[in-house]
Amino acid sequence: MTEITEDKELLSYVDSFQDMQNFLLNEENIIDIDVIEKVILFIREGTKNRRKKNFKTYFENIEMNIDTIKDWGNILEKLIDAIKHQEINSIKELKDHLILQGMLGFNRKYLDTFSISGRQKYLNWLNNQIGDLKNKLLEAYRNNSLNSELVGEFVTEFKKYLNGRLLLKIVNIDTKQIIGVPIHLNKNGDVEMLPHPFLDSEWELSRSIDTLKDKERIKVGDIVAAYFTDNKSERYMHTLLYVDFDGAEILPQTLQQALSEFVDNEYIEQYMEKIRKIFGIDDKNDEQIATLILQKLLDISSDIRQKLLEERDEIRKEKEKLLIEEKELDEKRREWYRIMKKIDEMIEIEEQTTPNKNETYTVIEYEPEQFISHLQSLFYYNDDQHLIYKEEIIKTFIYSLQANILTLLAGPSGTGKSSIVQALGRAVENVEVRMIPVQSSWTDTQDLLGYFHPIDKTFVPTPFMEALAEAAQEQNQSKLFLICLDEMNLAHIEYYFSEILSAREQKTPVLHLYPKRYLEIAKFILSDERASVEQRKSAEELIRLYPPVFKIPENVRFVGTLNMDHTVKPLSPKVIDRSFIFEVGHLKSDEKEKIKKKLKTLTGKIKMDYETFTSPFLDDTAVNDTVEKIEEISKLFEDYPNASLNSRGIKHVRNFLKYAKNKEEHEELIDYIILGKILPRIEIKRSEFDKIYNKVLNELSPYSRSYQRLKVMLESKHTVTFW
């Protein structure tokens, strides 16, 4: 078969056949028309009277009835028509007909011939998609600087790669520990070990045998599907994963074992014959299963976690008491001891990332006129790094957040772009900060929000989506949630952030997470007494946290940090148009000293809620004159595409100015508005800009920061641009 398997034309259909196989097996009735058309093309090429040599060789090897295969082409064309007209019943009937006619077996023979192994797929993902992260992990390990942030980043990507759960083969159980190694089941059902991501060794994941609830349940040789999280133990951090062996599901390794859970023994052989026929398994001894793993990241809900944290001291006291009496405990109390030990373990894993609800601090009364200067002092005295920012930078940042504009902080590394966001959370009550590191591999909305798992009927959220869901909860409506996308332009913003940008332009900003019909299924599961605890929990979470039409909470503000170097993607006009951009630069020593001298010694948090934060000081009438000045400056560039402010930009300016304390403050803000809303839009050929050169410089001369920035922009010989 070497001649066939190396044929590039035949190999080019792999993705289409894989998508087609998933479509036929799953309840979900969504598939790209292009996929079906490509499968039809494959069938047409392979069933022509005068076939190409490569197709002829392949079709002679598969030994299937050519007339039957030809008929599939006609059925697939009907399927395309049904999908276009959204005829759900017809789609289901056509899928069932294709399955009964043996198309699953046809697909399987193709994929068996051409699909790469799971191990190779894993290595491709490891070396290509997350190659940079893999190298960072290795370097940190060699330098003894491996940390929870890096490990957490890997685990997030690994969960997306696996869709949540990991297959393990149990290789050893002794008196001290249970050891499993990550595996992949290939197309023949054989086990392929997955090597350690960055070490030249076997990837062993262990757990103390004493912490297992049921030591007899799992045996050597078992294949289990287990949930996992990042390993926070310094000693074992290099293993990366902390595996939940207690909740692991033992998978059947033969078809007969799988059927025995659902079918009486006397009927098993009949069912096995049917399955062999559908999947084209000719060898009756081929008992290995191609297992589709249903996964959902096991998480402790926030309310349970909080309750556990509140009761932690009492639990530990009881635990200490039980430790003394352990030898004399009866079996029931021994079980309680093991439960409490498990709770302690879970708390220790979670508490590193759980905010301290019982923190004490000095409450500072909110004074509107002193708000910015108080923030400047708190940024310095609340933090060990003693953060120093110009008052104008803080003011621009705060007003942009209050006006609900996408706020982008640009500048070189180390200038405090991320720190100012986190500092605001430490300086003001009822401000929650969620930092989301952007990955260079992000290409669409799923990377930002997560995805719906149609088989498991669950939504698998990202940390970004979890933050949105948290902000939407009723108990958090008085809080301001700052969601900061760190290094936002590592990937194309308009690709992964497009749905958010579009939704924010609507009167009611909503995200469409998945088809509405799955909400009805979730309601049914909640009322079904036969549903498992996990199914009910997933259904409850879907209804409560992730409805199909998700409204972006009003109390959320989006912030992004930008690095401006050769490793990042350029900002599109769409993103610039919807943003307020300001640069955070390095301060000179004399500038820092000047600021430090006027700081008031202050620690704690300013008393404030979301309603107070978003209450403007001025009305439309009070800002009209300043808005007109800015419009006149913007009109200087109206002959150039995307360069002048449109109605959206004017609205941003108007809302921004309403948070100034008085009209006198407006003159200072004009300079920053030109810097943040007008200059970033400019991308004009130098020869064209020369026509308005003198007029523009004359108009901007009263605004020193904008004037100096424009002078830098004019140093270019070819294109005048902010970037």
Side-chain angles (χ1 to χ4, degrees):
M1 294 289 284
T2 303
E3 179 185 349
I4 295 175
T5 55
E6 292 180 356
D7 188 283
K8 290 183 179 179
E9 185 178 10
L10 290 171
L11 189 62
S12 68
Y13 293 87
V14 168
D15 290 341
S16 297
F17 269 89
Q18 188 61 65
D19 290 345
M20 192 68 193
Q21 191 82 340
N22 292 338
F23 174 67
L24 292 174
L25 286 170
N26 296 344
E27 294 179 18
E28 181 65 66
N29 289 320
I30 298 173
I31 188 173
D32 287 340
I33 300 298
D34 292 346
V35 169
I36 304 177
E37 288 176 342
K38 193 155 186 181
V39 174
I40 293 173
L41 178 63
F42 179 86
I43 290 171
R44 297 282 190 253
E45 291 293 336
T47 56
K48 286 179 181 177
N49 290 330
R50 294 183 177 181
R51 288 176 277 169
K52 299 176 183 176
K53 182 182 177 182
N54 56 348
F55 278 90
K56 184 177 181 180
T57 304
Y58 174 73
F59 270 74
E60 285 174 352
N61 274 304
I62 65 172
E63 299 176 351
M64 294 189 76
N65 188 294
I66 296 297
D67 290 332
T68 301
I69 298 174
K70 282 182 179 179
D71 188 46
W72 291 341
N74 300 325
I75 298 171
L76 289 169
E77 287 180 344
K78 292 178 182 178
L79 183 60
I80 289 174
D81 190 59
I83 290 171
K84 286 180 178 178
H85 294 89
Q86 297 183 338
E87 297 169 354
I88 304 301
N89 291 334
S90 295
I91 295 172
K92 187 178 184 304
E93 288 174 6
L94 291 167
K95 284 171 65 175
D96 290 344
H97 185 61
L98 288 167
I99 291 171
L100 290 172
Q101 291 296 314
M103 191 167 186
L104 284 173
F106 177 75
N107 282 15
R108 180 178 180 272
K109 286 179 184 292
Y110 175 89
L111 293 171
D112 281 356
T113 304
F114 296 106
S115 293
I116 62 173
S117 72
R119 180 188 176 93
Q120 187 60 48
K121 182 180 178 183
Y122 164 75
L123 292 174
N124 288 346
W125 170 79
L126 194 63
N127 294 320
N128 298 325
Q129 294 188 38
I130 65 159
D132 291 342
L133 176 57
K134 172 190 169 183
N135 293 334
K136 287 181 184 177
L137 287 164
L138 178 57
E139 184 179 359
Y141 177 78
R142 287 173 174 169
N143 297 331
N144 290 323
S145 59
L146 196 61
N147 56 66
S148 57
E149 287 77 17
L150 267 179
V151 172
E153 188 177 343
F154 171 82
V155 170
T156 298
E157 293 301 317
F158 196 44
K159 281 178 181 175
K160 287 197 289 186
Y161 172 73
L162 294 175
N163 290 332
R165 278 213 292 185
L166 174 68
L167 286 184
L168 292 166
K169 182 170 184 178
I170 307 304
V171 295
N172 188 44
I173 300 176
D174 55 31
T175 56
K176 293 183 178 180
Q177 61 184 350
I178 176 173
I179 299 175
V181 292
I183 64 166
H184 176 83
L185 290 177
N186 70 14
K187 59 183 181 292
N188 297 319
D190 297 328
V191 170
E192 297 178 335
M193 304 295 179
L194 301 185
H196 192 284
F198 61 85
L199 298 178
D200 187 19
S201 64
E202 192 172 71
W203 193 3
E204 291 189 346
L205 300 167
S206 62
R207 170 87 171 273
S208 170
I209 198 74
D210 292 334
T211 63
L212 287 181
K213 292 180 181 177
D214 188 350
K215 298 178 179 60
E216 304 299 325
R217 188 173 73 93
I218 299 177
K219 298 178 176 61
V220 173
D222 282 347
I223 293 176
V224 301
Y227 296 110
F228 61 92
T229 184
D230 44 324
N231 198 326
K232 292 182 170 59
S233 167
E234 289 188 14
R235 182 179 178 184
Y236 298 107
M237 193 169 288
H238 66 280
T239 66
L240 303 174
L241 309 182
Y242 179 87
V243 177
D244 177 30
F245 282 100
D246 282 321
E249 176 188 354
I250 302 174
L251 299 182
Q253 295 186 49
T254 67
L255 190 57
Q256 189 163 350
Q257 286 175 359
L259 286 173
S260 65
E261 297 182 28
F262 312 102
V263 180
D264 291 340
N265 288 335
E266 58 185 298
Y267 299 114
I268 283 180
E269 186 56 37
Q270 292 176 251
Y271 276 89
M272 288 173 67
E273 282 298 324
K274 289 181 181 179
I275 291 171
R276 288 193 191 100
K277 183 177 180 181
I278 288 172
F279 284 92
I281 301 174
D282 298 322
D283 184 359
K284 289 190 177 183
N285 294 321
D286 182 4
E287 298 271 318
Q288 298 291 345
I289 296 174
T291 308
L292 180 62
I293 303 300
L294 307 178
Q295 61 277 346
K296 175 72 174 69
L297 175 62
L298 181 64
D299 192 14
I300 307 168
S301 65
S302 57
D303 53 342
I304 294 175
R305 181 169 60 227
Q306 179 57 29
K307 186 175 181 181
L308 290 176
L309 288 171
E310 290 172 355
E311 296 176 356
R312 181 180 58 184
D313 292 339
E314 287 76 7
I315 291 172
R316 284 179 172 170
K317 287 176 184 176
E318 184 64 21
K319 176 186 168 184
E320 289 172 4
K321 182 179 177 183
L322 289 173
L323 276 170
I324 298 171
E325 303 174 4
E326 185 183 4
K327 292 182 180 179
E328 302 173 3
L329 295 177
D330 58 29
E331 186 55 38
K332 188 173 181 62
R333 293 192 56 166
R334 285 179 185 273
E335 180 62 23
W336 274 110
Y337 166 71
R338 289 192 288 269
I339 290 171
M340 284 186 282
K341 190 173 181 181
K342 177 65 177 175
I343 289 173
D344 241 6
E345 188 178 296
M346 291 159 66
I347 291 172
E348 286 171 7
I349 293 171
E350 293 291 325
E351 66 184 356
Q352 294 183 31
T353 56
T354 303
N356 184 2
K357 304 295 182 181
N358 299 318
E359 65 173 321
T360 58
Y361 53 82
T362 303
V363 176
I364 303 163
E365 290 299 322
Y366 170 60
E367 300 175 42
E369 299 295 336
Q370 302 297 319
F371 183 47
I372 301 300
S373 62
H374 281 175
L375 285 178
Q376 191 180 33
S377 296
L378 289 169
F379 287 179
Y380 182 81
Y381 285 106
N382 267 355
D383 197 289
D384 292 338
Q385 297 181 53
H386 298 302
L387 303 170
I388 299 177
Y389 299 93
K390 289 182 179 180
E391 194 169 295
E392 296 83 357
I393 290 291
I394 299 173
K395 184 182 295 183
T396 309
F397 177 57
I398 295 298
Y399 290 180
S400 180
L401 293 178
Q402 290 176 314
N404 198 12
I405 308 170
L406 173 59
T407 305
L408 303 183
L409 298 87
S413 179
T415 52
K417 301 185 297 295
S418 304
S419 297
I420 193 173
V421 183
Q422 295 168 320
L424 184 60
R426 290 190 293 269
V428 181
E429 281 189 336
N430 295 310
V431 174
E432 298 283 346
V433 176
R434 300 292 180 266
M435 301 296 294
I436 312 294
V438 172
Q439 305 299 316
S440 58
S441 59
W442 287 8
T443 57
D444 59 31
T445 305
Q446 276 196 4
D447 293 319
L448 183 73
L449 302 178
Y451 63 93
F452 184 79
H453 200 296
I455 296 177
D456 208 13
K457 306 295 184 298
T458 58
F459 187 79
V460 183
T462 61
F464 180 91
M465 191 64 219
E466 288 175 336
L468 285 181
E470 186 181 358
Q473 298 307 296
E474 187 176 352
Q475 67 269 24
N476 291 329
Q477 290 179 3
S478 64
K479 295 181 178 181
L480 171 69
F481 275 75
L482 300 182
I483 302 181
C484 179
L485 292 162
D486 202 16
E487 297 190 79
M488 193 177 189
N489 56 338
L490 273 179
H492 285 288
I493 299 171
E494 65 274 20
Y495 290 176
Y496 69 84
F497 205 63
S498 59
E499 191 168 349
I500 300 288
L501 291 175
S502 299
R504 280 167 57 83
E505 299 303 312
Q506 307 302 318
K507 186 175 181 181
T508 302
V510 297
L511 303 172
H512 297 276
L513 302 182
Y514 55 88
K516 292 182 181 179
R517 65 180 180 275
Y518 288 110
L519 192 64
E520 296 304 316
I521 295 174
K523 293 176 183 176
F524 173 77
I525 290 172
L526 277 180
S527 62
D528 186 0
E529 294 180 356
R530 295 168 298 177
S532 68
V533 173
E534 184 178 353
Q535 287 175 321
R536 291 188 184 185
K537 185 178 183 299
S538 297
E540 183 270 334
E541 187 178 79
L542 201 68
I543 295 169
R544 182 171 60 88
L545 297 178
Y546 307 111
V549 180
F550 182 92
K551 181 183 176 184
I552 298 177
E554 294 178 0
N555 58 330
V556 167
R557 296 294 183 271
F558 297 111
V559 182
T561 66
L562 307 175
N563 284 335
M564 306 313 299
D565 56 42
H566 67 282
T567 66
V568 298
K569 308 299 181 185
L571 269 62
S572 67
K574 178 179 179 180
V575 174
I576 294 171
D577 183 41
R578 288 159 170 78
S579 309
F580 196 112
I581 300 165
F582 63 96
E583 294 180 293
V584 183
H586 290 289
L587 291 175
K588 296 178 181 178
S589 298
D590 59 335
E591 290 178 308
K592 289 183 179 180
E593 289 303 318
K594 187 177 179 181
I595 293 172
K596 283 165 63 175
K597 285 179 181 178
K598 70 171 187 175
L599 293 178
K600 181 180 180 181
T601 305
L602 208 60
T603 58
K605 290 190 177 185
I606 298 171
K607 187 177 182 180
M608 181 176 282
D609 57 19
Y610 173 72
E611 185 177 352
T612 304
F613 183 80
T614 54
S615 298
F617 287 88
L618 303 176
D619 57 21
D620 282 333
T621 304
V623 303
N624 278 339
D625 292 344
T626 309
V627 171
E628 287 176 8
K629 282 186 182 181
I630 293 167
E631 282 188 279
E632 288 302 313
I633 294 169
S634 175
K635 285 178 182 178
L636 293 170
F637 309 103
E638 63 184 355
D639 292 333
Y640 306 96
N642 301 315
S644 61
L645 291 175
N646 54 24
S647 58
R648 181 189 296 109
I650 296 300
K651 181 182 177 182
H652 285 175
V653 170
R654 184 176 295 279
N655 289 339
F656 181 88
L657 290 169
K658 287 180 183 178
Y659 290 94
K661 304 304 176 289
N662 48 58
K663 285 189 176 183
E664 289 70 29
E665 197 179 330
H666 282 178
E667 280 302 310
E668 174 195 348
L669 291 175
I670 290 175
D671 200 352
Y672 281 94
I673 290 170
I674 297 170
L675 266 173
K677 288 296 295 179
I678 297 179
L679 294 188
R681 306 170 71 93
I682 294 175
E683 189 169 352
I684 305 171
K685 289 183 179 179
R686 181 56 194 259
S687 58
E688 291 293 316
F689 192 90
D690 286 345
K691 299 174 184 178
I692 57 172
Y693 182 93
N694 292 327
K695 190 174 183 180
V696 171
L697 286 181
N698 184 58
E699 288 291 332
L700 294 192
S701 60
Y703 310 108
S704 60
R705 297 174 183 84
S706 300
Y707 183 80
Q708 292 301 322
R709 190 68 176 83
L710 182 63
K711 294 284 280 185
V712 173
M713 292 165 60
L714 291 172
E715 292 174 4
S716 171
K717 294 179 181 180
H718 304 290
T719 304
V720 178
T721 177
F722 185 84
W723 309 100

